Structure formats: structure tokens, C-alpha cells
Amino acid sequence: MSRKVLISGGTGMIGTRLAEMLIDAGYEVALLSRQPATSHYRSFRWDPSAGVIDEAAVPYADYIINLAGSSVSEGKWTDERKRDIMTSRLGGTTLLARELAKPNHHVRTFISASAIGIYGDSADRVVNEETPPAPAADFLADVSRQWELAAQDVDKLGIRTVISRIGIVLSPEGGALVPLARTVKMMAGAALGSGRQFMSWIHLDDLCRLLIQMLEEPQWQGTYNAVSPHPVTNQEFTETLAAVLHRPLVLPKVPEFALNLMMGEMSEIVLASQRVSAEKVLRQGFTFEYPHLKAALESFYGEG
């Protein structure tokens, strides 16, 4: 049986690792890319902002994994940056839904990324897939909500659709861990804000294994939180990271106003508290290789 996977956002941190793991598992992989072939994978041209896609792209695929969206953690959130964050997600997902509505393809499964940002700041309350989205005034929640609505258009076509609400992805290659580890290595590590806010994280390899399981097993359908079963407070996260890197924590907490000055609205990413339940993916039979933070960080920085 043909096993062809088309990935949007395939050159990003998650997509790059996912493509490697899919190849290892015997799949064929192609990427949707705005630039002509920059990778060793087959690639199809698309430009979501212009609503343009190579018409051979969707007919190629048995499965589509939709990860496209510009990074929320790079650069201050100017109005232009926020527009880009929103349109890069909505444009791509809407374009794929439009192509999937056409009859000339055999796509069996559509897996679309979303983010735990949909829950907003939930203090120390545990949230799960049944928790309603935060109000639209919360930018990240609004982005995630609209992104999910766009993906649900594919579900309405009768194609099995899985929405993965991704937490803070840990990888030494990118994302939130890189600047946090850099500060701790420079002996300037400190908890951010109150330090009491919860961080719901997932190891990059666990996330990719989860996405592959969603793709392979037809009982996965609907919305799932992609987070490890053991979220930690920011203080705990910083202390564990310092211990794994064998560095002392020198500074007291970084005050909230300083983070707002440095990051503007983007400080929401590190200051909002999100204690997100992994119960649903565990019940569905997924096993985490890295359920605990210390082992996850040691896989990158430890002697192992």
C-alpha cells in the first residue's frame, strides 16, 4: 500500500525531524515549500499568502501533515508580525482544505497542528480538550481557534482529521529551549516572572512519534493535546535545566515588567500559565519515551 506523506512546514524544527523519522519508518515524504527544492526531499511549490499551490501536490499524498506557520517565538509581535503569524497558519490550512475538496486525490488522513495557546492563561487549573478556548482578545488563543476551525473544514469533507494542540517543544535545535539554555549556560539563568506559571512541554521526538501514531492508527480522530504527562512550573523548569547543565542559578526571578520590555506582547509565551492534561493521548494508547523533564533535558545535554 502506498505510504506517501506530504508535509507543510516541513523545513521547520518539527517538520525536519518528523520527515527523518517517517523515512526511517518506511514512508515516502514530500514537502510543500515556498522556495524551489532546498531539501533532499521531493518538494511541491506553494504560496499560501497568494492562495497558489502546485496542483500535483495533494494528489501525490496518502497523508497530509500540516505544520505550516511562522514562528511565534522569533521577533517582537509588531502588528505586521502578528498578521504574519495569523495568515501563515490560516492561509495554508484554508488552501489545503480547498484542494482536498476537489475529487482527484486519495488523501486518507489530515493531521493539523494547533497550539495549547488556545487555552490562554489558566493559572494552576488543569485544562483538557473539553476546556473552551480563551477569549479572542488573547492573541495566541485567537490564532489557534481560527487555525482549528480551518482544519475542521477538512473533517467536514469526510477525511479523517486529527488536530494536535502542541505544547512547548523541547529541542536543542530551536524553539524555546535554546534561549533558556543559553542564559543558564552564561550563568544568568533565572525563573521568569513569578516562576509559578506552568509550562506544558513535550520532547521533539515524542511529538514526532505521536504524529506518526496519529497518522497510522484510524482510531485517532478529533483534538488531542500534544504535551508530556508531567508539566512543571517555570521555576522547576529553570532549576532542572540548570542542574542538567551543571550551572548554578545566579539571578533571582526575572521580573515581569523586564520581560515585557524585552519581548513585548510575546512575553505571553513565557508568562502565561498552562497546565495541560495529556490524559487523552495516554488513554488512546500513546507511550511517552520522555514523560519527565529531567530525562528529556538529559537526552540533549546530559552524559546520558
Side-chain angles (χ1 to χ4, degrees), residues 9 69 101 114 122 139 185 195 204 216 225:
S114 177
S122 54
F139 173 64
K185 280 177 182 162
L204 176 61
E216 290 181 337
N225 293 327

Side-chain angles (χ1 to χ4, degrees), residues 171-172 175-189 237 241-242 245 247 297 301:
S171 159
L177 186 54
V178 173
L180 290 171
R182 196 183 304 126
T183 24
V184 171
K185 280 177 182 162
M186 286 163 40
M187 307 277 204
F237 188 96
L241 182 56
L245 293 170
R247 294 290 199 280
L297 294 175
Y301 302 119

Side-chain angles (χ1 to χ4, degrees), residues 11 53 89 113 121-122 170 173 186 191 196 204 212 220 228 232 244 251 293 302:
T11 54
I53 184 170
R89 284 162 177 71
D121 185 338
S122 54
L170 300 188
E173 305 297 318
M186 286 163 40
R196 290 195 299 271
L204 176 61
I212 293 170
W220 293 81
S228 97
V232 292
V244 168
L251 297 176
L293 181 65

Side-chain angles (χ1 to χ4, degrees), residues 180 183-184 187-193 234-235 238 249-254:
L180 290 171
T183 24
V184 171
M187 307 277 204
L192 304 173
N234 178 267
Q235 177 89 34
T238 315
L249 282 182
V250 187
L251 297 176
K253 299 175 172 65
V254 178

Side-chain angles (χ1 to χ4, degrees), residues 33 53 62 72 84 105 122 138 146 156 162 168 174 180 186 206 244 297:
S33 173
I53 184 170
D62 300 296
V72 293
D84 189 39
H105 68 81
S122 54
D138 178 320
Q146 294 201 43
K156 290 176 190 146
V162 189
I168 297 168
L180 290 171
M186 286 163 40
D206 272 338
V244 168
L297 294 175

